[in-house]
Amino acid sequence: MTKVHTYLIRYPSASLLFVQLLGIVLYPFMGQLSQGRAIVGAFGIVVLAMSLRMVRSSPTIQWIAFTQAACILALTIAVEYEYSTLLAVLLAGMESSFYFYAAGGLIAYMMEDLRASTDELFAVGATFTLLAWAFAHAFSVCQLLLPGSFTAAVNPEAARTWVELLYLSFTVLSGVGLSDILPLKPFARALVMLEQFAGVMYIGLVVTRLVTLTVRQRSS
């Protein structure tokens, strides 16, 4: 365990990726608990803190990220204290904005030199998860503002859960096209198209660049 802990400290991108993947496994169980929303919110704050750590190590304007994080924390407490659609929209929108900003910071971190370090390779996966979370929160905003934006094979008229929206985001971003959740309204479809474009560009530009640099380093 000491070696694993040391490894995760040495490679912060690996830590963020591990926590994000752990969240994917735990979210279905969190949703079944009586305090599921509060637990999901608490887990989101953990991810938020780790993302802030990554933003600090990337060439971005840090005060923007910290301001967003402070707003998210305040809104999370407000939503748990007294839920309202307006607060939920503001929280989801702020979370989406923060994860997009954090993903941009990691992309800048990976693109700032001509060397592919081990942490930058982990950052490839961490950035992908941040983008998936960002679009999932954007889908949440869309669903809150425009009910019925998404449908599914099971309970087609119901509002989609967080896990369902995150699942849709991962399938769209990766381009595998295996989701049984479909966008119905024009704005929802526009968000899905933007994520499809982001996924293609991310793999085509960022991932391909790091793979090329890695092969070049090993060849030399």
Side-chain angles (χ1 to χ4, degrees), residues 11-140:
Y11 302 113
S13 295
S15 303
L16 178 59
L17 177 60
F18 172 76
V19 171
Q20 291 279 73
L21 296 179
L22 180 63
I24 293 173
V25 176
L26 295 180
Y27 276 140
F29 300 100
M30 294 178 187
Q32 296 175 5
L33 301 176
S34 57
Q35 299 296 324
R37 191 176 69 190
I39 296 173
V40 170
F43 187 86
I45 291 174
V46 173
V47 176
L48 185 70
M50 299 189 71
S51 300
L52 278 174
R53 181 187 176 194
M54 291 307 307
V55 170
R56 290 183 65 184
S57 64
S58 65
T60 57
I61 304 175
Q62 296 178 14
W63 68 267
I64 295 178
F66 281 93
T67 301
Q68 291 174 320
C71 292
I72 290 171
L73 181 59
L75 287 169
T76 299
I77 296 172
V79 167
E80 290 305 315
Y81 180 75
E82 185 175 356
Y83 179 86
S84 71
T85 301
L86 176 60
L87 287 176
V89 169
L90 291 175
L91 175 59
M94 188 60 66
E95 286 177 317
S96 179
S97 173
F98 174 82
Y99 284 121
F100 276 124
Y101 188 79
L106 277 183
I107 291 174
Y109 165 62
M110 290 184 285
M111 302 286 282
E112 67 178 343
D113 55 36
L114 296 177
R115 178 178 174 273
S117 65
T118 301
D119 191 62
E120 287 177 345
L121 295 178
F122 281 117
V124 171
T127 303
F128 186 91
T129 59
L130 288 175
L131 287 172
W133 254 255
F135 277 103
H137 284 297
F139 294 158
S140 294

Side-chain angles (χ1 to χ4, degrees), residues 78-208:
V79 167
E80 290 305 315
Y81 180 75
E82 185 175 356
Y83 179 86
S84 71
T85 301
L86 176 60
L87 287 176
V89 169
L90 291 175
L91 175 59
M94 188 60 66
E95 286 177 317
S96 179
S97 173
F98 174 82
Y99 284 121
F100 276 124
Y101 188 79
L106 277 183
I107 291 174
Y109 165 62
M110 290 184 285
M111 302 286 282
E112 67 178 343
D113 55 36
L114 296 177
R115 178 178 174 273
S117 65
T118 301
D119 191 62
E120 287 177 345
L121 295 178
F122 281 117
V124 171
T127 303
F128 186 91
T129 59
L130 288 175
L131 287 172
W133 254 255
F135 277 103
H137 284 297
F139 294 158
S140 294
V141 173
C142 180
Q143 181 173 249
L144 287 167
L145 293 177
L146 300 169
S149 292
F150 301 93
T151 188
V154 179
N155 298 326
E157 301 299 326
R160 308 305 3 135
T161 65
W162 165 249
V163 174
E164 287 178 315
L165 294 178
L166 186 60
Y167 172 68
L168 171 63
S169 184
F170 267 91
T171 54
V172 172
L173 190 62
S174 63
V176 298
L178 298 177
S179 179
D180 61 336
I181 303 166
L182 300 173
L184 293 181
K185 295 192 175 180
F187 188 70
R189 293 186 176 186
L191 287 176
V192 168
M193 286 188 285
L194 288 175
E195 186 169 17
Q196 289 171 332
F197 176 77
V200 171
M201 296 302 292
Y202 179 71
I203 294 173
L205 296 179
V206 179
V207 177
T208 301

